C-alpha cells in the first residue's frame, strides 16, 4: 500500500544486545549497586529512553553520511559562525533528526523521525536447561501487534508457560533463583511465537521462549541483571585507589529490545519556506535511520563502551501486514 498520503508511518524494530548495555541514570546512589540503569517508572523494568536512541542514531547517521561532527548534534554554531547544524533542506541528518535555531536564522526544525523508548521484549535467564528467553503480556502488548492488544493476564500467575516440546516435559524450571512449575496448555503461546518471529527474532530464541506474569517478569529481570565491579587506579602507584570501588548494572548480553520509529511524511513540512529535498517519503526517512544500524552494532549505545559494553544488533524485521501497522492514513 502506498504511503504518499499518510501523515506518518510507524516502523517496528527489534535488536539483540551483543554486549551488556548500560544506560545510566546519571548519578550514583546508596544501595546494592552504585550506578543504576534507567527503569520504567511504572513497571520498574529497565529501558533505554528514546532521547538516548535519537542522540546516538543522529551521531551515527552523521558519520554514515559524511556530515560528522557539525550535523551530529552540536546544536547552535559558535558566534563566529563555525560549527553547528547546517540546517539545509537537502541534509539527510538535519531533516530527519531536526536542527536548532541558529544565530541570525529564522527558526529550527523538529525533525521527521521520532524514537520511542527501547523496551525489554525478551529477557535471557539461566536455567537448568540452559538460557531461556522470558517475556510477559505487558511486554508483548508494547509491540503494537494487533493480536496482542487485548492480551490479558495469564491463567495462572505463579507458573511459566512454554511450548509442548521435549524440554517442556520438565515439571519445573528454574529462572535464576526462582523455581516455577511449567505449563504447556496456554493456547495463545503458539500464535505469540509465530508473530514475534515476524519481528526478526531468531529461531534459537523462539525455541526457548517462556511467558510469565507481568509481576513475575519484573522480579526475574531485576534479579538477573548483569552487575560488574570496578575500581579506579591510582596513576602514581598503578594499584587500586583506596575507596574508589564501585559497582554498576547493565542489561545482559542476549536481551531482545523492541522500539518504534515514527516517520513523518516530508511532503507535509517546509524548511525555510521550501520543500524538504533530502527525503520524500516516510520510507526514505526510515532508510536514513537504518543506514546507521551497522554503526550501532559496532560503536554501540550507552556508557562503559570501553569496558566491553553497548553493542546492539538490529534484527531484520519482516514487513508487517497492513492490519498490524500502527501508521494512520489521512486522506
Amino acid at each position: 500500500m502506498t504511503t504518499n498520503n499518510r501523515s506518518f508511518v510507524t516502523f517496528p524494530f527489534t535488536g539483540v544486545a551483543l554486549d551488556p548495555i548500560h544506560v545510566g541514570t546519571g548519578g550514583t546512589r546508596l544501595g546494592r549497586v552504585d550506578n543504576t540503569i534507567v527503569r520504567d517508572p511504572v513497571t520498574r523494568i529497565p529501558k533505554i529512553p528514546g532521547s538516548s536512541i535519537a542522540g546516538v542514531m543522529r551521531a551515527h547517521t552523521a558519520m554514515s553520511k559524511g556530515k560528522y561532527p557539525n550535523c551530529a548534534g552540536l546544536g547552535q554554531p559558535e558566534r563566529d559562525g563555525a560549527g553547528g547544524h547546517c540546517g539545509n533542506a537537502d541534509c539527510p541528518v538535519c531533516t530527519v533528526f531536526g536542527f536548532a535555531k541558529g544565530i541570525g536564522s529564522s527558526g529550527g526544525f523538529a525533525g521527521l523521525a521520532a524514537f520511542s523508548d527501547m523496551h525489554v521484549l525478551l529477557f535471557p535467564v539461566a536455567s537448568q536447561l540452559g538460557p531461556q528467553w522470558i517475556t510477559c503480556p505487558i511486554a508483548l502488548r508494547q509491540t503494537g501487534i494487533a493480536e496482542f492488544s487485548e492480551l490479558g493476564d495469564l491463567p495462572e500467575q505463579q507458573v511459566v508457560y512454554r511450548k509442548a516440546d521435549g524440554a517442556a516435559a520438565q515439571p519445573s524450571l528454574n529462572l535464576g533463583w526462582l523455581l516455577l512449575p511449567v505449563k504447556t496448555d496456554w493456547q495463545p503461546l503458539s500464535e505469540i511465537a509465530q508473530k514475534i518471529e515476524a519481528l526478526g527474532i531468531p529461531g534459537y530464541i523462539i525455541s526457548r521462549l517462556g511467558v510469565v506474569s507481568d509481576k513475575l517478569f519484573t522480579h526475574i529481570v531485576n534479579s538477573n541483571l548483569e552487575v560488574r565491579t570496578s575500581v579506579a587506579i591510582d596513576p602514581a602507584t598503578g594499584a587500586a585507589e583506596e575507596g574508589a570501588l564501585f559497582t554498576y548494572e547493565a542489561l545482559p548480553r542476549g536481551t531482545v529490545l523492541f522500539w518504534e520509529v515514527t516517520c513523518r511524511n516530508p511532503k507535509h513540512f517546509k524548511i525555510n519556506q521550501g520543500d524538504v529535498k533530502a527525503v520524500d517519503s516516510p520510507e526514505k526517512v526510515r532508510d536514513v535511520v537504518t543506514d546507521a544500524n551497522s554503526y550501532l552494532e559496532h560503536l554501540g549505545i550507552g556508557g562503559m563502551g570501553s569496558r566491553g559494553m553497548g553493542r546492539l544488533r538490529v534484527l531484520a524485521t519482516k514487513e508487517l501486514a497492513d492490519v498490524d501497522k500502527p501508521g494512520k492514513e489521512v486522506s
Side-chain angles (χ1 to χ4, degrees):
M1 175 181 291
T2 179
T3 59
N4 287 340
N5 294 325
R6 289 186 172 187
S7 58
F8 68 91
V9 179
T10 299
F11 298 97
F13 289 90
T14 53
V16 60
L18 301 180
D19 298 323
I21 296 178
H22 173 90
V23 176
T25 56
T28 59
R29 68 175 187 178
L30 294 176
R32 188 173 68 95
V33 179
D34 298 315
N35 295 340
T36 55
I37 55 178
V38 178
R39 285 174 166 77
D40 185 283
V42 177
T43 64
R44 305 306 301 163
I45 296 172
K47 67 176 184 178
I48 299 177
S51 55
S52 299
I53 307 167
V56 168
M57 292 307 293
R58 179 181 190 124
H60 291 170
T61 300
M63 294 177 188
S64 69
K65 302 297 182 185
K67 306 284 287 187
Y68 188 88
N70 286 348
C71 293
L74 297 179
Q76 296 187 6
E78 303 293 337
R79 293 191 176 277
D80 60 2
H85 304 146
C86 72
N88 294 327
D90 60 353
C91 174
V93 183
C94 288
T95 54
V96 169
F97 293 91
F99 55 88
K101 180 180 180 180
I103 298 174
S105 65
S106 57
F109 184 65
L112 298 170
F115 295 81
S116 74
D117 293 343
M118 278 185 184
H119 296 284
V120 175
L121 176 60
L122 300 167
F123 189 81
V125 187
S127 76
Q128 81 267 30
L129 299 177
Q132 307 292 314
W133 275 265
I134 305 302
T135 187
C136 69
I138 195 171
L140 293 167
R141 287 195 295 270
Q142 288 172 340
T143 62
I145 295 176
E147 284 78 1
F148 298 163
S149 61
E150 300 298 330
L151 195 61
D153 292 335
L154 300 179
E156 295 185 43
Q157 299 292 300
Q158 305 297 323
V159 303
V160 53
Y161 288 95
R162 305 186 75 241
K163 292 180 67 175
D165 53 21
Q170 297 278 337
S172 59
L173 182 70
N174 75 296
L175 300 175
W177 59 270
L178 195 60
L179 185 65
L180 295 172
V182 174
K183 294 279 187 177
T184 60
D185 56 352
W186 191 46
Q187 297 300 324
L189 189 56
S190 296
E191 186 179 32
I192 288 172
Q194 180 183 2
K195 288 294 181 182
I196 64 173
E197 186 177 11
L199 296 174
I201 310 298
Y204 71 88
I205 291 179
I206 294 177
S207 65
R208 299 181 178 192
L209 176 67
V211 182
V212 299
S213 67
D214 296 337
K215 183 177 181 180
L216 276 183
F217 188 65
T218 300
H219 290 292
I220 290 171
V221 170
N222 284 292
S223 299
N224 292 280
L225 294 172
E226 179 157 342
V227 177
R228 290 190 184 182
T229 302
S230 292
V231 65
I233 300 298
D234 187 337
T237 64
E241 188 167 326
E242 183 70 23
L245 187 72
F246 66 99
T247 56
Y248 48 98
E249 61 184 1
L251 287 167
R253 178 181 295 110
T255 301
V256 177
L257 298 160
F258 175 86
W259 69 100
E260 293 176 326
V261 180
T262 299
C263 299
R264 302 178 178 90
N265 194 332
K267 296 179 180 178
H268 296 186
F269 296 88
K270 299 285 186 182
I271 294 179
N272 295 327
Q273 310 305 319
D275 294 334
V276 177
K277 299 177 181 177
V279 288
D280 59 6
S281 68
E283 285 79 5
K284 295 290 180 63
V285 175
R286 175 202 57 188
D287 291 345
V288 169
V289 175
T290 55
D291 284 347
N293 284 347
S294 61
Y295 289 76
L296 196 62
E297 182 173 340
H298 293 91
L299 300 183
I301 185 171
M304 313 290 182
S306 63
R307 305 178 186 212
M309 290 195 173
R311 293 183 304 154
L312 176 71
R313 175 175 296 158
V314 180
L315 302 172
T317 303
K318 296 179 181 177
E319 190 70 18
L320 297 178
D322 286 335
V323 68
D324 287 334
K325 289 181 178 177
K328 180 181 180 182
E329 187 170 5
V330 178
S331 59

